[in-house]
């Protein structure tokens, strides 16, 4: 059976260099829990054992990896995974979820800019 991958590698790295993406399995049925992913990041040296907030460091690594790969975590407690052809419905839900987040962030940004302009032009008092 042939495996179908949605994401493509856009980053060149040496074959011996491990990345968090190497620790995240393909397919919802293989999802890795947050705690397991943190543990693996520590074991493989992606997160230093002495770091006090390993969860934050793991999320930072995930965010960086998401610049090049699609990593799903639908907030349903199943963990993190990369998309396979069988996960297209999850990918669709993820896209809708991220669209809502982006729209909310843009709305907040727009309101902040309007408030700044109002203060700047003296239309509001302190």
């Amino acid at each position: 059976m042939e495996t179908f991958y949605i994401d493509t590698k856009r980053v060149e790295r040496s074959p011996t260099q491990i990345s968090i993406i190497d620790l995240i399995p393909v397919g919802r049925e293989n999802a890795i829990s947050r705690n397991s992913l943190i543990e693996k990041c520590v074991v493989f040296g992606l997160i230093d054992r002495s770091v006090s907030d390993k969860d934050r460091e793991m999320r930072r690594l995930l965010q960086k990896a998401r610049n090049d790969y699609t990593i799903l975590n639908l907030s349903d407690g199943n963990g993190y995974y990369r998309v396979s052809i069988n996960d297209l419905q999850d990918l669709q839900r993820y896209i809708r979820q991220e669209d809502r987040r982006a729209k909310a962030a843009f709305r907040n940004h727009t309101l902040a800019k309007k408030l700044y302009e109002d203060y700047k032009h003296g239309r509001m008092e302190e």
Side-chain angles (χ1 to χ4, degrees), residues 1 8 14-15 18 41 49 52 58 75 77-79 96 108 120:
M1 176 186 222
T8 58
S14 72
I18 194 162
C41 285
R49 291 184 191 281
S52 61
M58 186 270 303
S75 304
N78 287 333
R96 283 193 307 265
N108 293 338
K120 185 176 158 184

Side-chain angles (χ1 to χ4, degrees), residues 16 23-24 32 62 71 75 83 105-106:
T16 58
L23 306 177
I24 300 172
I32 184 169
L62 273 175
I71 302 167
S75 304
V83 180
F106 186 74

Side-chain angles (χ1 to χ4, degrees), residues 7 9 13 18-25 46 65-66 68-71 82:
D7 56 3
K9 291 185 179 183
R13 13 181 209 117
I18 194 162
S19 166
I20 193 167
I21 199 66
D22 299 315
L23 306 177
I24 300 172
L46 298 174
R66 281 182 168 141
D68 298 303
Y69 300 92
T70 299
I71 302 167
R82 291 182 286 150

